[in-house]
Structure formats: structure tokens, C-alpha cells
Amino acid sequence: MSDAGYDHAAVEQRWQAAWDDADAYRTPDDVDDPTYVLGMYPYPSGKLHMGHVRNYTITDAYARYRRMCGDDVLHPMGWDAFGLPAENAAKDRDTNPRDWTFDCIDTMRDQMRAMGFGYDWDREIATCTPEYYQWNQWLFSRFHEEDLVERRDAEVNWCPECETVLADEQVEGEAELCWRCDTPVEQRELEQWFLKITEYADELLEDIDKLEGWPNSVRQMQRNWIGRQYGSEVEFEIGGHGSVTAFTTRLDTIHGATFFALAPDHPISEQAAEEDDDVRHFIEHEADPEGDEPNGIATDLTATNPVTGEEIPVYVADFVLSDVGTGALMAVPGHDERDHAFAQKMDEEIVPVIAPEPEEGEEPEIPDSSEEAFTEDGVLVNSGEYDGLDSETARERLTEDIESAEHTTQYQLRDWGISRQRYWGTPIPIVHCHGSCGSVVVPDEALPVELPEFINTTGNPLDAAEEWKQTTCPECGGDATRETDTMDTFVDSSWYFLRYVSPDLEEAPFDLGRANDWMPVDQYVGGIEHAVMHLLYSRFFTKVLADHEGLEHREPFTNLLAQGMVQLEGEKMSKSKGNTVSPQRIVEEYGADTARLFMMQAAQPERDFDWSEEGVRSTNAFLTRLKEMVEDFATEQPDGDDDAIARYVANEIDATVAIAGGEYDDLTFNRALRETQDLVRTLRQYAAYTEPHAETYERGLSAVVRLLAPVAPHLAEELYAELDTGEDEDKFVVDAPWPTATVDRDYVTKRRQLVTNTREDVRDIIDVAGIEDPQAIDVVVAPDWKYDALEIAIESDADEETE
């Protein structure tokens, strides 16, 4: 037995074995509509960390709660098992990624079992198995059929350390570092495979408003990432180069365009660099798109403003990006802060052409643009025949009047480049015919295209798999070469939640009927860092499958909870900082229930919180005391009266159950647990003050055990058995009914507020009256009819205000 409290090891091992023997968490295939609770599956790195423990305790607690409420619950687990870290680890250890990955999976699965997570392990998946990744390949071919796949040359983010392409979302911070290894990312031109997520940009954006169960922060991050802008494209003539298209959302300001700016990698900029050493030096050595202030260099070129006919200077500027808009922009320093700063730096003219909306009958007051830009809509000034028009009307009129102008919608979102030059991923199911067939999709009957044996080499390992590469063309039968790029691992995670509904199905990626019954996921939990990668890609895949494969829902996750971090002394735990806490040590020393309960009571799930060894010890002491209370009751039941004190305790039991159930519904576990611990304190005080009424006291203990069961399941099973509830001997607390109350949550809240107000009133009266030690206080309660009259009066006042 551990020095810390009760013999948690014996309790936890006993009940884990009992759950396994009874297959307690199995979800049968024939249920109609299970409550689907899911935590984002982990990358098998070898050991659980505290972030994992918190995430999976949240989903486990909610799944257990819903099961006790009578729901059929689907709560599976799997492994995001492909990826570069496994490849690098295998190289370092002179092994292969498969063996390393499955060793890690075995370790982490054992740790999850030790934590008491109630998963249906019969549904376990690992994305690195051919049985899974063949369906990545099948989905690729379906996307290809629907013209949602494209191969083209593209400038890509290249990590020289990982020797692979990165998606935009995988390039982090102003320094543009690789998300995996913090190496500065380079730009390269490579032939790449893309999934056309931009085809769904409008729906992905507009459906965000329907995701009412998602945090506002995540929804806003997706809006910003998609970045839809309504505006106009308009052509400026550049001497010697012809017309150049610029995109603007503020065509109403075109009369104030006093210079034109090009991205450093715009074709005209590159041509200018060949002819001008200063321009070349700026592009190669000074341009800094992530810098704090805009930089640029003048060229000897001029552009013609299509409205005014004026010649304006052309700059190469690092605040113009080739992948945003058209890589060229009309600069209006009077009405754009960045353009204003650049114009002041380069001593360019600043002309105000928009003024604030004037009062009726008054002239617009032209803003002083020398100090700052006026960036709001308003009315046009210094704009010839358009003077006096409001901005919106002017934008419409100018788009109609300028010959080259047309309404355009632009997006920040780019198509998803899925090509990766690595071994440990899904082979892209394409062969390149040496004849005239070009790139050909591998037919379904030839799937999966399995990975060859691991080759420990630099660069793209599949390029070195000479025997594997050589194949025949599916169309003409001639010589062909396999595609040697593998898929971005975010493809794996874009549909894995569908595989859980039928993980052993051999004919399709998922059983369509079951998916339509069971999906979408009711409650999804994971880190906010996945807001614009995994979550956006999953939404995209779901919409494509709804359009082309018969899926009946268009969003994968109804409710999303982004859990906060577990910190140590205010800092995120990380190996590099050396401030990690080992879940295994905590389980060995205090038990899984202690770790789970401390973590869940410390803060609301979406908040960060500090790990505290003192808090862990306190939690363990609480569980130990509770165990002693139940054992004492089971050994010798009290025989106290059903008196006023017993009725007070009964009311407190009802109040706790009413409040805690609502908090579990809202996933505010910390509040539910605080209520439960308060009830334990009440029961202890009851037993210390008088001989308890046995039925009331037992009801209180039973309620406590069941309220704690989702969070501290092992000890709850032990105590539920100790209480001998009269159920079948084989009955688990995991299947026990959630406790019920005779009052609802609102009633309890109002009653508690009334008690609080009354206490404050009594204190005030004693204070004002100057009575030091009153012997008795009479509280007079108004009859019911007065409350009814007050309600009617309040409703009447509300109706009059509405009218």
C-alpha cells in the first residue's frame, strides 16, 4: 500500500480487470443513435503527457456521465500514427518507423488503461496500417473523379531540416519556422498534388455561423483563415509592361492612389531587378514581409491611374504579397495606414479623397491626412464627378464606369498541398506513364499501394525504392513509375472519426448507414492549435463526402471544447523546459482517480491551470476520507431519527444532484465537483453532530459516489459495491442510473440566493440596531398569494415596456 491514502493500486487493478472481463465499454453495432464522444486521437510519441491526460479525462468523464444518463455511448480511441517524428526516431535508432510506432502505441495504450479511460478498444484504429490508409487512397481517387485534385508547379514552403514541404498552416510565427523543428522555412518551386479546398471556401465560411456549439475564438480563427474579401479588380497600365491587375476592397479611394506597389516576386519586379542593381539588392537582401514597418524601393517605372489618367510611381514593396490579391496594389496613403506609413517614408503625396459623413445640409470636412489615414467609409471628395457619393455607392458606380474594373471575391485560403517528400505516410495512388497516358490514378482493385521496406536515406526515401517505383500503367500496360510523394498526415485525421463507426469494414472506408445514424460527433475535445488545420480540413472532407458519397450531414462535430493547458508555475509543460510532470509517477504514487479528480476540479476545461503537488495530495486525502465514510457506514449503519436535521440534509442532497447534473451537461466539471465535495462535507458534519438517519445518509453517500463516478471511476466502483445498493452483483456504477432530485437547478439557485440575501439582511439589521448578541431572530415569510401578485405585476410592467 502507498504512503498516500488508500491502496489505490489494488482498487484500480481490480476494477480495470472487471471492466475488461465484462466488456463494459463496448458499443454494439446495432444501436440506433449513440452519443458520440471523442477526444482528438494522439500521435504515438511513446508516453502520455499531462495534456493528453487532461483531454482524455474530459471526454471520459462526459462519456461516463452520458452513459449513466441512459445513453448508448460511442467513445473510441485510435492513433495518428504516420508522420515525420517516427521516421526521424527510426533513423536515430537504426530501426524502422513501423516497429517504433507500434512499440509507442503499446506503451501509450497501457498507460490509457491504467488511467481508467473507458474506451471501446474493439474500435481501435492506427492510420499507418494498410487497412486504414488504403481508404486515404480510395478517397483521393474519389476526389480526383470529382475534379477536386490537381497537380501543378507551385512555390512551396520547404523545411531544409525535415526535407519536406509544409502547408502554410505549418509555418509558425513572424520568423516563419517549421512547426516541427523550428528551422527557418525556405521557398521552393516544386510539382505538387493539391486538394481543391477553395472550391468549398464559401460554404466553409458561411456554415461557421451554424457551429453554435464551437468556441467563438475557433470560429473566428477559421473566418480569418478563409479570409473572404469582396472588392474589385482594376487594371493599371505600367509603361513597357502593359496592364497589371490590382485587387482592392476600396475602389472608392482610387482618386487618391498616388503610387503603385508590386510584390518582390512579381514578374515585373524580377524583370526590374535584372535591369537595376538597387532593386535586385532590395529583393535579395532587404525585403522583409514579416517586418514591423513597410519597406520598398522605387523603380523607374510609372503606372497610369485609369480614372485620373495621372502617371504615378511604381515601387517594389515587401508589404505586397504575391499570394494575397494579385501581388500588385494601388496605394492610397490617405486612407490606408500601411500605405500612409510608406508614403511618409518615401515622401510621396498623400491626397484625402474620403471625408466623414457630414451633418445634413453641411459640407464634408476634408480630414487632415498629414498625420494619419482616415480608414472609414464616408463620402467622396477630391474625386471629380463622384464627389458627394457615399463610399458604397461610389464603389458600385466606379466598378461600372471603369472599363477594366469588375467585381471580384478573393480569399486568403489556398488549395491544400498534400505532397510530402517523406517515407512514413500514405503513398499517393498515382503512376506516371512513360508513354502518353500521363499521370494515372491507381484503380480501386489495386489498392492499397503499400509502402516498401524502409530505406534510411536523406531526401525523399521512396525515390530510392527503385524496385517499388517501377510498375506498369493501369491504362496502357506500358512502363510507368509510381508517385514517390506521400500524403500530408492531416489527410488521415480529416475523416478518422468516420472509420470508428465500422473499423473492420473491408468494402468501404465506413458503413454509410451507420455513419448517417451515428454522426456527427456530439462532443469533440482537443487543442485550439488545430483550429485552422485539422478542424478546417475535417469540415472540408465531410462536405465533399456529403456531396458525392451519400453522407447526410455536412459538419463533422456538433460541439467542440478546446481544452486549456496544464502548466507548472505559470509555464506550459515541455521536455525542452524540463518542467514536465510524469503521469505515470502520479498514478503510481497517488492513483489514477486522484490525478483525474485533481485535474478536473482545478479549473474549467477550457482554462489553463497550474499543476500543484499540494493539490494532488489534498485530492488524495479527500478520496481517502470518502472511502472511510462509506466503509464506516457499511460496517455499522446508524439509526438516527428522520428529524429536521435529516430533512435539511435531504434537501442538500437534492440541491447538489440538481446543480451537479446541470454542470456535467455544460462540461463545467469543476463546479459539479465542488458541489459534490460540499455535500461530502455536509454528510461528515451530519455524522459528527448527531446519529444520522440511515436512509438519508445512505442516499447522500450513494449520490456522492455516482456524482464522482465519471471522474474517479475506480474508487466509485469500489464504494458502490460497498454500499450494496440492492442491484445485481455484476452491476457496475458505470451502468448505474444518474441520481435524481426532487427539485430543479433553477429552484436551487433561487433558494440559495434567497438564503444568501436573508443572511445579509439579518447582518445589516443587527448592525443598524446595534444588537451584539441576539437570542432569536424571527423571519416572517409573505404568503404565496403575494408572490403570485408580484409576478403578475412584473410581467405587466415588462409588457408595457415592450409596447
Side-chain angles (χ1 to χ4, degrees), residues 762-763 765-777:
V762 168
R763 288 194 187 101
I765 292 167
I766 291 171
D767 217 23
V768 171
I771 303 171
E772 290 187 8
D773 188 16
Q775 296 302 304
I777 297 171

Side-chain angles (χ1 to χ4, degrees), residues 460-472:
N460 186 343
L462 292 185
D463 257 343
E466 293 296 338
E467 186 177 341
W468 176 85
K469 276 199 308 184
Q470 304 312 314
T471 187
T472 55

Side-chain angles (χ1 to χ4, degrees), residues 318-391:
D318 60 10
F319 59 85
V320 187
L321 305 177
S322 60
D323 62 348
V324 177
T326 64
L329 62 82
M330 65 174 209
V332 185
H335 304 288
D336 181 277
E337 292 174 355
R338 178 201 53 209
D339 295 350
H340 189 278
F342 189 78
Q344 286 189 318
K345 188 173 185 177
M346 299 299 178
D347 200 25
E348 286 294 344
E349 188 179 8
I350 300 174
V351 178
V353 294
I354 305 291
E357 190 85 41
E359 296 291 332
E360 191 172 347
E362 295 185 7
E363 291 294 313
E365 185 176 336
I366 298 176
D368 179 7
S369 298
S370 60
E371 293 300 321
E372 62 180 359
F374 175 68
T375 59
E376 306 295 325
D377 277 3
V379 297
L380 272 64
V381 295
N382 296 329
S383 299
E385 63 183 281
Y386 300 94
D387 280 358
L389 292 179
D390 65 85
S391 288

Side-chain angles (χ1 to χ4, degrees), residues 66 216 408 417 466 594:
R66 295 308 318 175
N216 286 332
T408 309
E466 293 296 338
T594 293

Side-chain angles (χ1 to χ4, degrees), residues 117-279:
F117 297 143
Y119 296 124
D120 181 353
W121 285 109
D122 289 347
R123 296 181 181 277
E124 181 182 12
I125 60 170
T127 60
C128 64
T129 62
E131 293 78 15
Y132 184 90
Y133 69 70
Q134 79 173 83
W135 300 113
N136 285 346
Q137 295 168 340
W138 184 90
L139 288 164
F140 179 93
S141 68
R142 296 291 86 75
F143 277 50
H144 194 280
E145 283 178 14
E146 302 301 335
D147 195 28
L148 291 169
V149 175
E150 183 179 16
R151 191 184 192 217
R152 63 174 185 264
D153 285 336
E155 190 172 78
V156 296
N157 304 306
W158 178 264
C159 175
E161 178 67 25
C162 299
E163 297 184 277
T164 192
V165 169
L166 303 176
D168 286 346
E169 300 92 329
Q170 294 166 326
V171 180
E172 296 187 334
E174 292 186 0
E176 296 195 333
L177 303 179
C178 171
W179 73 317
R180 287 286 192 195
C181 67
D182 289 339
T183 300
V185 171
E186 302 171 355
Q187 300 299 304
R188 286 195 183 180
E189 191 86 12
L190 290 177
E191 205 164 28
Q192 298 282 290
W193 290 99
F194 290 86
L195 298 184
K196 296 182 183 179
I197 191 173
T198 53
E199 295 287 318
Y200 282 79
D202 285 321
E203 188 185 350
L204 286 166
L205 180 65
E206 286 157 13
D207 284 358
I208 290 172
D209 290 338
K210 300 176 184 176
L211 300 174
E212 295 178 358
W214 287 37
N216 286 332
S217 58
V218 174
R219 295 197 294 174
Q220 191 57 45
M221 289 166 77
Q222 291 211 356
R223 287 190 192 98
N224 294 343
W225 191 258
I226 297 167
R228 183 170 68 188
Q229 289 186 309
Y230 296 111
S232 301
E233 286 186 343
V234 61
E235 293 180 1
F236 282 66
E237 289 288 327
I238 294 184
H241 295 275
S243 63
V244 175
T245 301
F247 172 78
T248 178
T249 60
R250 295 296 306 272
L251 194 62
D252 54 319
T253 67
I254 192 169
H255 288 81
T258 56
F259 65 93
F260 199 78
L262 300 170
D265 55 351
H266 192 282
I268 296 177
S269 300
E270 292 173 347
Q271 190 170 336
E274 293 176 6
E275 302 167 0
D276 188 326
D277 289 342
D278 290 339
V279 173

